Each structure stands twice: as structure tokens, then as C-alpha cells.
Amino acid sequence: MTELPERKLPEPKRREPKRREGVPVGRAAFLGLAAAGISSLAWGKTAFDAVASAIPSGLPSIAPSNGWRIYSISSPLPTFDPATYSLEVFGLLDKPFKLSYADLQDLPQERQVSDFHCVTGWSVEDVHWEGVRIQELLKAVNLAPNARALRFNSAELPYDSALTLEQALLPDVMLALKMDGKPLTRPHGSPVRLVIPQMYGYKGVKWLKSIEVSREAFAGYWEREGYDNDAWVGRSNGYGDSS
Amino acid sequence: MATAPEPAFIRRFTVSERAIHWIHASVFFSLLVTGAILYFPTLSVAIGRRQVVKDVHLWSALAWVVAVLVVVIVGDRRALRRVLREADRFDADDGRWLTGKRAPQGRFNAGQKVNLILTGVLSLLFVVSGLLLWLGERDTRFRLDGSIALHDGATLVSLFLLVGHLYLSLIHPSTRHALRGINRGDVREDWAEKHHRKWVEAERDDRPV
């Protein structure tokens, strides 16, 4: 396709076509890089986590990093007022009760180091949690015979989630008051959040306001949006063999 | 070529090329700001309104796709194809340029061609990973744990390119005249002779005597 007008004058000087044309490297580079990029859908998370582990923590959380992301469903985030806060435990038990923040702190505390996995694909390794085991919380009460589950309600309405009793009593489940040596900060769910490392993070209700002992593990906020109730890391929500 | 004789300036970019550039730049900015809010805890907490920010992010991406399509359909496709052709071709001078030696360059210098190619690749990867993230929120068939890594990685590379791009186009004294070209379409011929000599000479060869 020529763009040049008809010439009546002698041929203007032109460089040799070969030197002027060059080699069509560009399209090859485009296709190769695009293919490499798309292939990273298969290996990207592994590579990402490996690099993030190698980078010392404490650097600003620019990718790749083991950085947290804060997802919320309503604004603003709940504010913790130690003077008025209480965690209410009610439902299918003989003696419903309320705990103040000081009450929670007075319960025997346990520590653990766990990884945190978000269902969207990012993770934070080696989070130091300190808090109260569910067993400890329910020690002084009797659950009704038909009690099968615990429903966790957040001050961030309408966020909630539920676990079966069996899941809630797993050895690494806790109500965390401290993260990485410090009391929970506001973005991370102050004053207390549910921690269940074997499941994706959306099960770990933040800004915990009340716990209801119930007949079954009703679908919570994200479960109503289509996510799995039993949110086992690597084998739920479409990951692993799950559908 | 029947343009009015303007010996001082030479036309470098058509309206279509400039439109694509500015659509890309403005949408990229919107995606970057909303993306940063979604990504950095300090900003997420300060701004909140996650659903609104997400919606702006998604609609920006959609607007980009539509706007680019519109330009391609109603614009100067010949000029756009010329861009692709020029970005595709690397000669010995480009090779020298990329190793840090000075060598005469065409309308796009070798670095600009590389930027074009990478921008194209990154745009594709953003669309793919973004689409997977968006669809995967609702449908487990689209949930891949590598999506967010690819999206994050593409962002990091893009930022790298953007910083260099902005430096050369806005700050670096010898190159920032190029901003006029992408803004108004033409550049000073004497500047172009220095930085894009092979292009200027080819343009002169094309002009009727």
C-alpha cells in the first residue's frame, strides 16, 4: 500500500530497504511476554510468596510483599470504646453472658503463629496471634443439646459468619486480642477478632460484637455472596479439587 | 503532501494516536489511584467506601476498552497500524541505542518502541487478570490463585515504566519537548533532527520538491 504521490522527478534517495526495515522483533516480544505473563496465572502466587518471604518485613508494603490488605464492607470501620465495649454470648446455652474488654483480657491467653490466607489469593505468613480459645470462653456454661454451631457477629454491619462447634474448637482457632505483639488495631478488628487459620480470612470476623450459639452454621455475609461455608484453605471456593 | 509550509515544525502524531495516548493516560491514572486505595491499608482505612472505589476501578477499565475501540473504529487506522509497524521493527541502530550508544533513530526511538510493546503487553495482562478477579468473585470457575499475583506484578512493572516515562516527558530537559508532539501533534524540526533523525530525513524524502 503506497502513500506516496506520483513522482515526475527522479527517484529521491532512499536508504537500503533492509537497513531501514529492521527485524520484526516487536511482535515476537509482545507475544512472548504476553504468554509468559498469562502463564504466571499458574505459578505466580508461589513465586510471589517466595519473593515476599525473602524480603525482610518492615519495608513499606509495596508488592511483592507479605503485606496485609484491608477489605471492608461498610464505612467507616467500627471504633472500639473500651468503656462501653462488651462481647455478648447468647443463644442455645443455659447462662448467656457479657464480657468487657478487661474480662476478655483476664481469661487465660494463648499464643500462636499462623499464616493468613485471603480467598482472593494473597497471604500473610507468620502472624503472631494472642487470645482466648473458644473452649475457654464457654468453660463456665452448658450448651443446649441441639447446639451445633457458633455464629459470630461483627460491629461492622452486616458482616457475620458461622462455624460448626467442631470447627470452632479446632486447636488453632481463637478469639485474638493481640496481633504481632500489640493489641489489635482498628483496621485489623479491634478489640477482638475470630482467627481460624485453616480457613480463608473471610471466616475470621473482625470487630466481634456477639457470639450466638445456634442450631446450625447459617450462611454469613460472604457465604450469602456465594463463598463456601467450609472455607478450608486450598480445598474450597474453587481451589484445589473443590468445584 | 499538501500541508502549508511550516519549516520550523514537523507533524509527528495524528489525532488518533494522541487520543489513544491520552485515553490510556487518564484511565491509567484513575485505575492507579483507585487501585492504590484498594491495596494500601492506610488508604483503605482512610477512604473506606470499598464498594464505591471498586466500582470506579471497574468502570474505568470498561471505559478504557470502549474508548480504545471507538478510536480504532472511527479513527485513523492507517496511522495506528503505522505505529504498530514501527514498534515491531528494530534495526542495528536500535540495537546500539539499547546498549547505551547513540545512534540515529526513527520516529520512535528504541526505548519508546520497547515502552509501546510493554504497555501493550501490560494492558493485555491487566485485562486478563482483572477480568479473572472480577468474575472470580462470583464464580468459582474463574478463581485462580495466580490472578492477584499477576495483577500486582503488572502494577509494579507499570509503575516502573511510568516513573521513567514521566521523567523523560516532563522533567528531562533534552526530551521533554516530546510532550508537545503528543499534545499538539507536531514538534520542532531541529529537535527532531537531533533525536529522531531517520524519521526527519524520511519525511523530507517524501515531500514534493
Side-chain angles (χ1 to χ4, degrees):
Chain A
M1 168 164 73
T2 179
E3 308 148 31
L4 304 175
E6 282 278 291
R7 293 208 169 270
K8 296 181 175 65
L9 298 162
E11 277 296 308
K13 286 203 218 357
R14 288 211 173 278
R15 283 189 172 65
E16 282 149 12
K18 210 182 348 178
R19 187 167 161 233
R20 190 183 185 189
E21 287 290 322
V23 180
V25 172
R27 71 188 70 180
F30 175 86
L31 290 170
L33 290 170
I38 298 213
S39 79
S40 81
L41 288 169
W43 50 263
K45 180 170 166 67
T46 314
F48 201 91
D49 288 345
V51 173
S53 300
I55 293 176
S57 59
L59 288 183
S61 78
I62 292 259
S65 75
N66 264 332
W68 289 96
R69 301 172 210 213
I70 304 297
Y71 294 3
S72 57
I73 62 165
S74 61
S75 293
L77 302 181
T79 317
F80 164 51
D81 178 10
T84 58
Y85 174 82
S86 72
L87 175 69
E88 191 184 346
V89 183
F90 65 100
L92 299 174
L93 69 167
D94 57 352
K95 286 190 300 254
F97 60 96
K98 281 188 193 174
L99 296 173
S100 68
Y101 185 55
D103 293 334
L104 279 168
Q105 289 174 306
D106 284 342
L107 290 171
Q109 308 284 314
E110 289 204 13
R111 292 184 184 170
Q112 67 186 49
V113 180
S114 334
D115 295 341
F116 180 95
H117 299 284
C118 180
V119 72
T120 61
W122 55 272
S123 305
V124 182
E125 287 181 353
D126 298 336
V127 186
H128 293 250
W129 299 109
E130 186 177 323
V132 180
R133 297 277 177 227
I134 304 285
Q135 296 87 322
E136 196 56 56
L137 190 77
L138 301 176
K139 212 149 83 158
V141 297
N142 294 309
L143 303 184
N146 58 344
R148 292 278 179 277
L150 297 178
R151 185 199 214 138
F152 300 87
N153 300 305
S154 175
E156 186 202 22
L157 300 170
Y159 202 112
D160 58 353
S161 191
L163 297 177
T164 64
L165 276 176
E166 192 185 336
Q167 292 165 349
L169 296 172
L170 284 168
D172 57 354
V173 173
M174 63 158 53
L175 301 178
L177 298 171
K178 284 185 168 179
M179 186 181 101
D180 295 333
K182 294 193 279 283
L184 279 183
T185 58
R186 188 173 173 218
H188 288 287
S190 58
V192 57
R193 67 167 296 162
L194 175 65
V195 170
I196 171 158
Q198 293 180 52
M199 290 194 180
Y200 287 111
Y202 66 87
K203 300 296 293 187
V205 176
K206 303 198 287 191
W207 308 287
L208 207 48
K209 200 177 60 170
S210 64
I211 300 175
E212 180 187 349
V213 183
S214 56
R215 280 188 338 267
E216 60 178 291
F218 301 105
Y221 180 84
W222 285 115
E223 294 86 345
R224 293 191 290 272
E225 295 288 327
Y227 290 86
D228 290 341
N229 263 333
D230 301 320
W232 304 111
V233 174
R235 43 194 182 94
S236 67
N237 288 294
Y239 296 117
D241 288 331
S242 62
S243 57
Chain B
M1 218 160 36
T3 48
E6 277 202 296
F9 288 89
I10 180 172
R11 172 153 294 274
R12 192 177 179 198
F13 293 122
T14 63
V15 171
S16 298
E17 292 162 283
R18 285 142 56 197
I20 297 268
H21 174 271
W22 288 113
I23 288 167
H24 197 87
S26 49
V27 171
F28 186 89
F29 181 73
S30 169
L31 291 169
L32 185 63
V33 169
T34 50
I37 295 171
L38 294 169
Y39 183 83
F40 291 108
T42 317
L43 296 176
S44 315
V45 172
I47 309 277
R49 297 176 192 82
R50 185 178 169 82
Q51 199 47 56
V52 171
V53 176
K54 261 170 89 174
D55 286 345
V56 173
H57 194 78
L58 295 174
W59 282 103
S60 299
L62 202 60
W64 177 83
V65 173
V66 170
V68 168
L69 276 175
V70 165
V71 173
V72 169
I73 290 169
V74 309
D76 186 348
R77 275 188 302 285
R78 202 180 64 181
L80 296 176
R81 276 200 296 270
R82 183 186 171 196
V83 171
L84 293 180
R85 215 165 42 239
E86 291 177 8
D88 186 22
R89 303 249 159 206
F90 287 74
D91 59 16
D93 286 330
D94 289 318
R96 276 180 220 114
W97 202 99
L98 287 172
T99 59
K101 307 183 191 65
R102 288 297 128 236
Q105 298 289 285
R107 188 168 69 123
F108 295 110
N109 63 42
Q112 288 166 335
K113 293 184 203 178
V114 169
N115 189 36
L116 269 165
I117 293 165
L118 288 178
T119 300
V121 171
L122 289 165
S123 300
L124 176 69
L125 295 179
F126 272 124
V127 169
V128 169
S129 59
L131 206 55
L132 285 172
L133 284 170
W134 182 39
L135 294 171
E137 277 192 350
R138 288 150 198 78
D139 191 331
T140 57
R141 288 173 302 174
F142 297 100
R143 230 169 262 166
L144 301 171
D145 64 7
S147 305
I148 212 167
L150 179 56
H151 209 74
D152 287 356
T155 304
L156 193 63
V157 175
S158 296
L159 283 176
F160 217 53
L161 286 178
L162 181 67
V163 168
H165 183 71
L166 291 180
Y167 171 72
L168 291 169
S169 56
L170 299 176
I171 298 174
H172 192 64
S174 64
T175 52
R176 65 185 183 205
H177 179 67
L179 184 61
R180 180 196 167 103
I182 203 69
N183 249 341
R184 301 170 57 164
D186 57 4
V187 290
R188 276 190 352 251
E189 194 164 338
D190 59 307
W191 176 88
E193 268 169 11
K194 214 161 37 143
H195 294 274
H196 303 277
R197 204 177 83 202
K198 290 196 290 194
W199 168 52
V200 175
E201 287 174 355
E203 291 288 304
R204 288 201 188 117
D205 287 350
D206 286 351
R207 282 194 206 139
V209 169

